[in-house]
Amino acid sequence: MWALRAAVRPRAWLSRVVRKCPALRAAPPLPPCPLRALAALGPGDLQGRGGGGRGPRADGRRSRAGAEEEEEEEPEDAEEEEEELLRSEPVLPAGAQRVCLVHPEVKWGPGKPQLTRAEWQVAEAEALVRTLDGWSVVETMVVPTKTPDRKLIFGKGTLEHLTERIRGLAGLTAVFLNVERMSTPTKKELEAAWGVRVFDRFTVVLHIFRCNARTREARLQVALAELPLLRSNLKNDVARLDGRGGGSRYIMGSGESFMQVQQRLLKEKEVKIRKALDRLRRKRQLLGRQRRRREFPVVSVVGYTNCGKTTLIRALTGDAAIQPRDQLFATLDVTAHAGSLPSRMTVIYMDTIGFLSQLPHSLIEAFSATLEDVAHSDLIVHVRDVSHPESELQKASVLSALRGLRLPAPLLDSVLEVHNKADLLPGYSPAGPRALAVSALLGLGLEELKAELEDAVLRATGRRVLTLRVRLAGPQLSWLHKEATVQQVDVVPEAGVADVTVIISGSAYGKFRKLFPE
């Protein structure tokens, strides 16, 4: 048992929290990549992109295909240590909850949000609550405020009226205050006034992240994002101990107070989590180098949460094993899926974590390592839900997050927009030159999208369409089938040759000329 839990809960009077995390609705395990399409990559090449795999081969030996780099050996007890790091109490209570949603609305001044309205923000907050199994919104209150940054968010009169309404709700178990983050004193005072637990967006989103995390890397990233909350709770616990005369005492003559011991343990936990994430990041970088050596084009699919990224990838790859979910943050791990373009060229689609407006900074920082994969892609496809009333605001949130990743300028400049769910807007036509309207669910516009993807990939990777004359008796034709995308073969039997039309990269063409000089 990790030492911090024992240190954080030294008193019998401190309440115990049920460990079990409330399960999300119908959450099947994330599917593996389609094996038939990925056979050329070799075993294990695309597994663990999000941290679940162990490198090129499960046995850790050097791959036979080319001069592969050997994976750095992992300490024998690394997995056990990581499991200890991941053991912590849930940030939200277990079981069904009846929630009152309170949204502070700033109608004027510098704090007024742009490009959005209160009803849209409330709808997104309700979607967050519904994501949690057994949670329901029994009452919604949009409350005006002039100074949302003050300690209690609302003015004295407004707060008294709000308190009266909340205490009058029968069977209420919690309040979701739709602000990015509450301070510990604010949370304590509001809970004392309203008589129920109060949660902010940070806590709710963090809990959803924890319940959706599947791979080791995603779970470690959630654990890293939880540390600010643990530190905040630590101050609250120590304040309670101080009130009982036990918070400032030194522990067993160690020279450290209770607060200092817990701060040290949290710091040690953070160091261990970052080391574990660094090990998994090096594995992911190794897999990326192997993939680039094999020269499979990589297309990163990004977008606002629940915009239909996974549904689009399923439609483009035809992989029935991919199971999209109509749920916020259904995808937390970067997963790879192989598909073919009209020329039969194989590309790798990377499904990434969805974005959200007002996403707490610590969550963005924790998952920035996963999103580093986007920087190594050849093309970014930005999927937008054009049927959503806040589509423009969602676009701004995604582009702001992408700029925060400091991606190469050519990659940002070549982003291809896909306007999904266009079937919900009859007669819709995108305005931008690099935008296509599709319905991933109904399969509308996919052929046009594949053609545009092919053109964009060829431009981004420097591939060319060439017709090469090869001897039928030699190994040239089989080499081209292995190292390039063969589109057409016209045999000239009397000459014993064939004219082969291929899509080939510059480096592969250079190897061809070196191996088979004319």
Side-chain angles (χ1 to χ4, degrees):
M1 186 70 69
W2 182 53
L4 178 60
R5 294 196 74 251
V8 173
R9 298 285 185 245
R11 306 283 183 181
W13 53 267
L14 286 177
S15 63
R16 294 185 179 181
V17 182
V18 179
R19 280 169 165 261
K20 185 176 180 183
C21 178
L24 296 175
R25 300 192 195 103
L30 292 182
C33 299
L35 296 181
R36 65 181 185 279
L38 302 180
L41 288 176
D45 280 349
L46 287 185
Q47 295 183 15
R49 180 80 177 186
R54 287 185 169 273
R57 295 194 35 151
D59 55 12
R61 292 178 293 171
R62 189 181 296 270
S63 171
R64 297 179 183 177
E68 304 288 358
E69 293 184 43
E70 200 162 331
E71 179 186 342
E72 179 182 344
E73 290 190 4
E74 193 176 86
E76 293 182 2
D77 60 346
E79 282 195 38
E80 294 182 5
E81 182 182 83
E82 288 172 14
E83 287 301 320
E84 289 294 327
L85 292 173
L86 294 171
R87 292 178 185 174
S88 59
E89 296 172 350
V91 295
L92 292 181
Q97 299 291 327
R98 291 169 51 83
V99 180
C100 174
L101 172 58
V102 177
H103 175 71
E105 182 184 18
V106 183
K107 292 187 174 182
W108 55 83
K112 177 177 172 58
Q114 304 298 317
L115 302 175
T116 186
R117 297 206 301 263
E119 57 265 34
W120 297 342
Q121 294 176 291
V122 168
E124 184 173 89
E126 288 179 343
L128 286 171
V129 174
R130 289 196 303 269
T131 301
L132 297 169
D133 189 34
W135 287 52
S136 60
V137 177
V138 297
E139 184 73 23
T140 299
M141 302 179 186
V142 179
V143 184
T145 179
K146 297 180 182 179
T147 53
D149 54 346
R150 66 189 302 168
K151 181 180 178 181
L152 295 181
I153 301 173
F154 307 102
K156 182 178 180 180
T158 302
L159 182 60
E160 290 176 354
H161 178 66
L162 181 59
T163 300
E164 183 180 350
R165 291 183 61 189
I166 291 175
R167 284 192 169 271
L169 294 174
L172 188 71
T173 60
V175 170
F176 176 24
L177 187 60
N178 193 28
V179 296
E180 181 178 326
R181 187 77 187 272
M182 286 185 298
S183 66
T184 300
T186 299
K187 176 180 172 67
K188 288 176 61 179
E189 289 202 30
L190 291 179
E191 287 181 341
W194 295 341
V196 293
R197 297 187 65 174
V198 182
F199 306 109
D200 52 25
R201 284 172 68 92
F202 174 81
T203 309
V204 172
V205 172
L206 181 60
H207 190 74
I208 295 172
F209 274 27
R210 175 193 274 202
C211 292
N212 273 349
R214 299 291 192 271
T215 64
R216 290 162 59 194
E217 185 169 25
R219 294 172 66 201
L220 284 167
Q221 287 167 326
V222 171
L224 182 63
E226 281 181 346
L227 290 177
L229 190 61
L230 290 176
R231 291 190 172 98
S232 177
N233 291 340
L234 168 61
K235 294 178 182 178
N236 186 33
D237 286 344
V238 169
R240 291 169 60 187
L241 285 172
D242 283 339
R244 298 173 66 94
S248 60
R249 296 178 182 176
Y250 294 104
I251 297 178
M252 299 177 65
S254 65
E256 289 183 298
S257 67
F258 178 66
M259 180 73 166
Q260 290 170 333
V261 169
Q262 294 199 25
Q263 286 177 333
R264 175 171 54 81
L265 291 174
L266 283 174
K267 183 62 178 177
E268 290 174 359
K269 180 176 182 178
E270 180 178 0
V271 170
K272 290 178 180 178
I273 290 175
R274 292 190 183 278
K275 285 182 178 178
L277 283 171
D278 191 54
R279 285 197 298 269
L280 295 174
R281 184 183 306 181
R282 289 197 296 270
K283 289 182 182 180
R284 191 172 62 249
Q285 291 171 345
L286 172 61
L287 294 176
R289 288 194 294 270
Q290 292 169 354
R291 192 171 298 121
R292 287 191 291 275
R293 275 199 295 272
R294 293 185 175 112
E295 297 186 331
F296 287 102
V298 176
V299 178
S300 288
V301 183
V302 304
Y304 205 81
T305 183
N306 210 29
C307 68
K309 301 185 301 297
T310 306
T311 303
L312 180 63
I313 291 176
R314 172 175 172 153
L316 291 173
T317 61
D319 185 4
I322 302 174
Q323 295 296 328
R325 286 179 282 158
D326 184 14
Q327 192 177 78
L328 300 183
F329 302 114
T331 300
L332 285 188
D333 308 293
V334 175
T335 57
H337 309 272
S340 296
L341 296 178
S343 64
R344 299 192 296 276
M345 177 172 55
T346 299
V347 296
I348 307 300
Y349 295 103
M350 306 303 298
D351 194 1
T352 63
I353 180 176
F355 297 96
L356 183 74
S357 64
Q358 294 182 302
L359 193 62
H361 177 74
S362 58
L363 289 179
I364 298 174
E365 180 184 4
F367 280 82
S368 62
T370 299
L371 292 170
E372 286 176 2
D373 287 310
V374 177
H376 301 298
S377 58
D378 298 296
L379 179 68
I380 294 176
V381 172
H382 177 195
V383 183
R384 294 177 56 189
D385 176 4
V386 291
S387 69
H388 197 283
E390 287 192 302
S391 182
E392 288 298 325
L393 177 63
Q394 292 180 353
K395 174 183 177 178
S397 297
V398 172
L399 294 181
S400 175
L402 290 177
R403 285 192 291 268
L405 296 175
R406 298 179 182 178
L407 302 176
L411 188 59
L412 275 177
D413 294 339
S414 62
V415 171
L416 178 63
E417 272 194 19
V418 175
H419 293 188
N420 192 25
K421 307 184 185 182
D423 56 298
L424 301 178
L425 300 174
Y428 176 79
S429 178
R434 290 187 56 79
L436 292 93
V438 306
S439 171
L441 188 62
L442 301 181
L444 303 177
L446 294 184
E447 295 307 315
E448 294 84 350
L449 174 58
K450 288 181 179 180
E452 182 63 31
L453 283 172
E454 183 165 287
D455 291 341
V457 167
L458 290 177
R459 289 193 301 269
T461 61
R463 282 170 165 77
R464 293 182 290 171
V465 180
L466 299 176
T467 300
L468 305 173
R469 174 157 289 193
V470 302
R471 295 190 300 273
L472 293 175
Q476 292 99 321
L477 185 57
S478 61
W479 189 94
L480 288 173
H481 273 288
K482 181 180 178 181
E483 301 294 335
T485 301
V486 176
Q487 293 187 296
Q488 185 174 342
V489 179
D490 295 322
V491 179
V492 185
E494 61 273 13
V497 298
D499 292 326
V500 185
T501 303
V502 296
I503 295 178
I504 191 169
S505 67
S507 60
Y509 181 62
K511 293 177 185 177
F512 179 81
R513 284 304 176 205
K514 185 176 180 180
L515 291 171
F516 312 110
E518 295 179 347

